[in-house]
Amino acid sequence: MNINRRQFLFLSGISTIASGFLSGKLSNSNSLIESATAAKPVKKDLLLRFVSVADTGTGTKGQYAVANAMNFYHQQNPYNLVVLAGDNIYNNGEIEKINAVFERPYQPLLKNGVKFHACLGNHDIRTDNGVPQVKYPGFNMQGRYYTFSQNKVQFFALDTNGNADWKNQLIWLEKELSLSKAPWKVVFGHHPIYSSGNYGSNKNFIKTFTPLFKKYNVQLYINGHEHNYERTRAINGTTYLICGAGAGNRPVGRSQWTEYSTSDLSFAAYDVYADRMEVSAIGTNNRVFDQGVIKLKSV
């Protein structure tokens, strides 16, 4: 009986330890699942998510690498709008290349209903002054310059080429900005206003646009032309963002107003809230390499 009792106690002890070990394992597993769930917080009060890219239309490996990163980001963080800031078709804006340089690279996004809103770059106007691109449905252009709105964000697309109808365009821009009731105003064109890249800042554009942007509280100007990424600090309330490394790249420097710059192939993503816009720059490795916040009103 004593031997049986010892055996009983021994087996009971093993049973207790085993059950404790298993319950601990299950408890740890549950906590891992819960923590994994908690690591993906739901974004509350998000008004709009969109991305921007420019100088894309090559049909080369670089364009596909950025397009794949844009699609991967869409799978993780759905969006329905892309700002396409010019040089949509290299080298001369030939619309017959549209399948190779737009429809094929962005097919997964287009199939998922993502809309691209384009403007004209300097390469785009080399064929028929860009008219075929203005008429192309996939670019959703309502003219050489136009405006559209989504969820309290109003976008203003410009023709920044040298042969643009500057007189009427500037009259139109000021009128539309003055009439806008949108708290968020985003202007985009192909050419830079502030830049540390190959072409540098445009003094005439600084004189022309920055007073309007300040007067009507334009928070963001997006452009390409420079084949790099550069984000400025807010200059008189406006952040200037270059996203021209959508297919190829060139070196870029820094200026006193530069927050971040790189020549890496990339695109930019924006999460818009009532009081702020969160900017993320994303490379072809799907990693965020720059983040910034644009305030609704800043000085």
Side-chain angles (χ1 to χ4, degrees), residues 79-249:
Y79 57 86
N80 63 8
L81 166 63
V82 177
V83 167
L84 190 61
D87 279 359
N88 314 308
I89 305 175
Y90 283 103
N91 277 324
N92 301 303
E94 310 96 321
I95 198 67
E96 59 267 22
K97 292 182 177 179
I98 196 68
N99 181 257
V101 304
F102 179 71
E103 293 171 348
R104 214 182 302 153
Y106 307 113
Q107 184 180 38
L109 294 174
L110 294 168
K111 278 188 172 181
N112 279 304
V114 177
K115 284 192 173 183
F116 287 68
H117 285 263
C119 66
L120 295 172
N122 54 297
H123 284 268
D124 300 318
I125 63 172
R126 291 181 180 179
T127 296
D128 196 16
N129 201 25
V131 171
Q133 290 195 41
V134 175
K135 293 181 176 179
Y136 173 63
F139 286 163
N140 293 289
M141 298 175 70
Q142 302 158 30
R144 303 183 77 85
Y145 49 90
Y146 61 99
T147 183
F148 65 97
S149 297
Q150 278 201 32
N151 294 7
K152 299 187 178 180
V153 184
Q154 187 166 355
F155 296 85
F156 305 82
L158 301 179
D159 177 3
T160 58
N161 287 292
N163 68 345
D165 182 4
W166 282 105
K167 181 180 177 182
N168 289 320
Q169 179 173 214
L170 290 173
I171 292 171
W172 167 87
L173 178 61
E174 179 153 24
K175 180 183 178 183
E176 292 295 332
L177 286 172
S178 68
L179 292 173
S180 177
K181 297 293 190 288
W184 288 101
K185 300 177 184 69
V186 177
V187 178
F188 65 97
H190 181 63
H191 295 84
I193 298 178
Y194 287 95
S195 169
S196 306
N198 182 60
Y199 298 101
S201 299
N202 187 317
K203 292 180 180 179
N204 289 331
F205 279 10
I206 291 172
K207 290 178 183 177
T208 301
F209 289 114
T210 58
L212 284 176
F213 292 174
K214 183 178 180 181
K215 182 177 181 181
Y216 297 107
N217 195 33
V218 172
Q219 293 95 348
L220 176 63
Y221 176 77
I222 298 170
N223 68 275
H225 198 50
E226 300 280 21
H227 294 186
N228 56 249
Y229 170 87
E230 183 173 16
R231 177 175 62 88
T232 74
R233 61 170 174 79
I235 303 172
N236 292 320
T238 305
T239 296
Y240 297 83
L241 193 139
I242 298 171
C243 57
N249 52 6

